[in-house]
Amino acid sequence: MHNLFVCPEAFLSDEQKPVTEDDVGFHFISYVPVGGWLHELDRLKSGPVDHGVTSSWLSNVGKVIQQQMSEYSPRKIQFNLLVVIGDWYKILGEKITIVDANITKLMRQLEARQLDN
């Protein structure tokens, strides 16, 4: 998928040569927390890049991305960020279950106090 959507014209020149990794049209990098460590997955690199231990994945990945973006001239490069998250229905369903349990507990406590009065 790396250069799947790039226009072929982006790689045309008077001299016909094979497309190399230096001719990247679209470049995707992933940042993933694995076992408490932040890793960068980039097809143009020989393997995962270790960005160290992370206790707050979001905070750490933000710093890494900002640092990497600052290395480029703002006039030359455009960046897009895509966030992949878990299943919101599942995540919110679990939160609703917890909230429902807390409401039930509070209602029982309120009923108990009313009976005492």
Side-chain angles (χ1 to χ4, degrees), residues 21-32:
E21 291 182 349
D22 294 332
D23 298 321
V24 174
F26 291 96
H27 182 199
F28 301 95
I29 301 172
S30 297
Y31 299 91
V32 294

Side-chain angles (χ1 to χ4, degrees), residues 26-29 31 65 69 77-83:
F26 291 96
H27 182 199
F28 301 95
I29 301 172
Y31 299 91
I65 291 171
M69 289 174 65
I77 302 293
Q78 293 180 344
F79 294 94
N80 291 303
L81 295 177
L82 172 68
V83 179

Side-chain angles (χ1 to χ4, degrees), residues 12 17 37 40:
L12 292 180
K17 63 177 184 161
W37 294 79
E40 174 183 340

Side-chain angles (χ1 to χ4, degrees), residues 1 8 17-18 20-21 24 37 46-47 51 53 55 60 62 67 77-78 98 104-105 107-108 117:
M1 191 168 177
K17 63 177 184 161
T20 67
E21 291 182 349
V24 174
W37 294 79
S46 62
H51 288 287
V53 176
S55 58
N60 290 28
Q67 188 275 326
I77 302 293
Q78 293 180 344
I98 292 169
T104 301
K105 181 180 175 182
M107 293 298 289
R108 286 185 183 145
N117 292 332

Side-chain angles (χ1 to χ4, degrees), residues 34-53:
V34 177
W37 294 79
L38 176 60
H39 294 280
E40 174 183 340
L41 304 177
D42 182 344
R43 191 180 80 79
L44 297 181
K45 296 182 179 172
S46 62
V49 177
D50 180 0
H51 288 287
V53 176

Side-chain angles (χ1 to χ4, degrees), residues 91-107:
I91 293 168
L92 294 177
E94 291 169 355
K95 289 184 178 189
I96 288 171
T97 300
I98 292 169
V99 169
D100 283 343
N102 287 337
I103 289 172
T104 301
K105 181 180 175 182
L106 290 171
M107 293 298 289

Side-chain angles (χ1 to χ4, degrees), residues 6-24:
V6 72
C7 300
E9 295 81 23
F11 301 114
L12 292 180
S13 70
D14 293 332
E15 174 188 329
Q16 291 297 322
K17 63 177 184 161
V19 176
T20 67
E21 291 182 349
D22 294 332
D23 298 321
V24 174

